[in-house]
PDB file of all heavy atoms in Angstrom:
ATOM      1  N   LYS A  10      97.327 100.605 121.258  1.00  0.00           N
ATOM      2  CA  LYS A  10      97.789 100.942 122.602  1.00  0.00           C
ATOM      3  C   LYS A  10      96.746 101.736 123.355  1.00  0.00           C
ATOM      4  O   LYS A  10      96.481 101.494 124.535  1.00  0.00           O
ATOM      5  CB  LYS A  10      99.132 101.713 122.525  1.00  0.00           C
ATOM      6  CG  LYS A  10      99.743 102.026 123.900  1.00  0.00           C
ATOM      7  CD  LYS A  10      99.333 103.387 124.462  1.00  0.00           C
ATOM      8  CE  LYS A  10     100.090 104.492 123.767  1.00  0.00           C
ATOM      9  NZ  LYS A  10      99.872 105.784 124.439  1.00  0.00           N
ATOM     10  N   ASN A  11      96.132 102.718 122.643  1.00  0.00           N
ATOM     11  CA  ASN A  11      95.128 103.511 123.342  1.00  0.00           C
ATOM     12  C   ASN A  11      93.875 102.755 123.693  1.00  0.00           C
ATOM     13  O   ASN A  11      93.305 102.970 124.735  1.00  0.00           O
ATOM     14  CB  ASN A  11      94.723 104.683 122.393  1.00  0.00           C
ATOM     15  CG  ASN A  11      95.814 105.726 122.195  1.00  0.00           C
ATOM     16  OD1 ASN A  11      96.741 105.807 123.026  1.00  0.00           O
ATOM     17  ND2 ASN A  11      95.752 106.464 121.110  1.00  0.00           N
ATOM     18  N   GLN A  12      93.582 101.769 122.842  1.00  0.00           N
ATOM     19  CA  GLN A  12      92.431 100.905 123.158  1.00  0.00           C
ATOM     20  C   GLN A  12      92.723 100.025 124.298  1.00  0.00           C
ATOM     21  O   GLN A  12      91.818  99.810 125.203  1.00  0.00           O
ATOM     22  CB  GLN A  12      92.105 100.025 121.889  1.00  0.00           C
ATOM     23  CG  GLN A  12      91.578 100.837 120.697  1.00  0.00           C
ATOM     24  CD  GLN A  12      91.399  99.981 119.464  1.00  0.00           C
ATOM     25  OE1 GLN A  12      91.903  98.850 119.386  1.00  0.00           O
ATOM     26  NE2 GLN A  12      90.776 100.534 118.451  1.00  0.00           N
ATOM     27  N   VAL A  13      93.920  99.500 124.418  1.00  0.00           N
ATOM     28  CA  VAL A  13      94.339  98.666 125.528  1.00  0.00           C
ATOM     29  C   VAL A  13      94.339  99.489 126.809  1.00  0.00           C
ATOM     30  O   VAL A  13      93.842  99.078 127.875  1.00  0.00           O
ATOM     31  CB  VAL A  13      95.690  97.978 125.310  1.00  0.00           C
ATOM     32  CG1 VAL A  13      96.144  97.243 126.564  1.00  0.00           C
ATOM     33  CG2 VAL A  13      95.637  97.042 124.146  1.00  0.00           C
ATOM     34  N   TYR A  14      94.885 100.698 126.688  1.00  0.00           N
ATOM     35  CA  TYR A  14      94.902 101.634 127.868  1.00  0.00           C
ATOM     36  C   TYR A  14      93.521 101.877 128.382  1.00  0.00           C
ATOM     37  O   TYR A  14      93.268 101.737 129.568  1.00  0.00           O
ATOM     38  CB  TYR A  14      95.588 102.966 127.421  1.00  0.00           C
ATOM     39  CG  TYR A  14      95.598 104.022 128.483  1.00  0.00           C
ATOM     40  CD1 TYR A  14      96.771 104.304 129.174  1.00  0.00           C
ATOM     41  CD2 TYR A  14      94.445 104.786 128.758  1.00  0.00           C
ATOM     42  CE1 TYR A  14      96.818 105.296 130.126  1.00  0.00           C
ATOM     43  CE2 TYR A  14      94.512 105.814 129.716  1.00  0.00           C
ATOM     44  CZ  TYR A  14      95.691 106.043 130.391  1.00  0.00           C
ATOM     45  OH  TYR A  14      95.715 107.026 131.358  1.00  0.00           O
ATOM     46  N   ARG A  15      92.615 102.128 127.496  1.00  0.00           N
ATOM     47  CA  ARG A  15      91.238 102.429 127.893  1.00  0.00           C
ATOM     48  C   ARG A  15      90.571 101.198 128.472  1.00  0.00           C
ATOM     49  O   ARG A  15      89.786 101.285 129.440  1.00  0.00           O
ATOM     50  CB  ARG A  15      90.442 102.983 126.721  1.00  0.00           C
ATOM     51  CG  ARG A  15      89.061 103.482 127.061  1.00  0.00           C
ATOM     52  CD  ARG A  15      88.374 104.072 125.845  1.00  0.00           C
ATOM     53  NE  ARG A  15      87.081 104.654 126.230  1.00  0.00           N
ATOM     54  CZ  ARG A  15      86.952 105.858 126.692  1.00  0.00           C
ATOM     55  NH1 ARG A  15      88.014 106.620 126.871  1.00  0.00           N
ATOM     56  NH2 ARG A  15      85.753 106.341 127.038  1.00  0.00           N
ATOM     57  N   SER A  16      90.847 100.056 127.931  1.00  0.00           N
ATOM     58  CA  SER A  16      90.268  98.799 128.436  1.00  0.00           C
ATOM     59  C   SER A  16      90.748  98.502 129.855  1.00  0.00           C
ATOM     60  O   SER A  16      89.936  98.130 130.720  1.00  0.00           O
ATOM     61  CB  SER A  16      90.616  97.608 127.493  1.00  0.00           C
ATOM     62  OG  SER A  16      90.021  97.796 126.228  1.00  0.00           O
ATOM     63  N   ILE A  17      92.024  98.650 130.094  1.00  0.00           N
ATOM     64  CA  ILE A  17      92.549  98.418 131.444  1.00  0.00           C
ATOM     65  C   ILE A  17      91.975  99.442 132.412  1.00  0.00           C
ATOM     66  O   ILE A  17      91.544  99.096 133.532  1.00  0.00           O
ATOM     67  CB  ILE A  17      94.073  98.474 131.432  1.00  0.00           C
ATOM     68  CG1 ILE A  17      94.633  97.394 130.525  1.00  0.00           C
ATOM     69  CG2 ILE A  17      94.613  98.317 132.861  1.00  0.00           C
ATOM     70  CD1 ILE A  17      96.153  97.460 130.397  1.00  0.00           C
ATOM     71  N   PHE A  18      91.910 100.695 132.003  1.00  0.00           N
ATOM     72  CA  PHE A  18      91.379 101.784 132.834  1.00  0.00           C
ATOM     73  C   PHE A  18      89.914 101.445 133.197  1.00  0.00           C
ATOM     74  O   PHE A  18      89.534 101.600 134.376  1.00  0.00           O
ATOM     75  CB  PHE A  18      91.504 103.107 132.107  1.00  0.00           C
ATOM     76  CG  PHE A  18      90.966 104.250 132.945  1.00  0.00           C
ATOM     77  CD1 PHE A  18      91.769 104.960 133.811  1.00  0.00           C
ATOM     78  CD2 PHE A  18      89.637 104.675 132.797  1.00  0.00           C
ATOM     79  CE1 PHE A  18      91.280 106.006 134.558  1.00  0.00           C
ATOM     80  CE2 PHE A  18      89.157 105.744 133.513  1.00  0.00           C
ATOM     81  CZ  PHE A  18      89.994 106.393 134.414  1.00  0.00           C
ATOM     82  N   THR A  19      89.138 101.061 132.184  1.00  0.00           N
ATOM     83  CA  THR A  19      87.720 100.719 132.406  1.00  0.00           C
ATOM     84  C   THR A  19      87.606  99.583 133.433  1.00  0.00           C
ATOM     85  O   THR A  19      86.740  99.580 134.304  1.00  0.00           O
ATOM     86  CB  THR A  19      87.026 100.391 131.138  1.00  0.00           C
ATOM     87  OG1 THR A  19      87.097 101.566 130.246  1.00  0.00           O
ATOM     88  CG2 THR A  19      85.552 100.054 131.360  1.00  0.00           C
ATOM     89  N   ASP A  20      88.452  98.548 133.257  1.00  0.00           N
ATOM     90  CA  ASP A  20      88.377  97.426 134.137  1.00  0.00           C
ATOM     91  C   ASP A  20      88.779  97.790 135.585  1.00  0.00           C
ATOM     92  O   ASP A  20      88.268  97.229 136.553  1.00  0.00           O
ATOM     93  CB  ASP A  20      89.267  96.309 133.628  1.00  0.00           C
ATOM     94  CG  ASP A  20      88.641  95.540 132.465  1.00  0.00           C
ATOM     95  OD1 ASP A  20      87.395  95.655 132.312  1.00  0.00           O
ATOM     96  OD2 ASP A  20      89.342  94.843 131.749  1.00  0.00           O
ATOM     97  N   ILE A  21      89.684  98.778 135.676  1.00  0.00           N
ATOM     98  CA  ILE A  21      90.062  99.250 137.054  1.00  0.00           C
ATOM     99  C   ILE A  21      88.865  99.911 137.688  1.00  0.00           C
ATOM    100  O   ILE A  21      88.509  99.654 138.864  1.00  0.00           O
ATOM    101  CB  ILE A  21      91.230 100.207 136.939  1.00  0.00           C
ATOM    102  CG1 ILE A  21      92.511  99.514 136.547  1.00  0.00           C
ATOM    103  CG2 ILE A  21      91.409 100.949 138.291  1.00  0.00           C
ATOM    104  CD1 ILE A  21      93.688 100.401 136.340  1.00  0.00           C
TER     105      ILE A  21
END
Side-chain angles (χ1 to χ4, degrees):
K10 185 267 285 188
N11 291 339
Q12 292 174 349
V13 174
Y14 176 101
R15 189 177 184 83
S16 294
I17 298 174
F18 180 87
T19 300
D20 283 343
I21 290 175

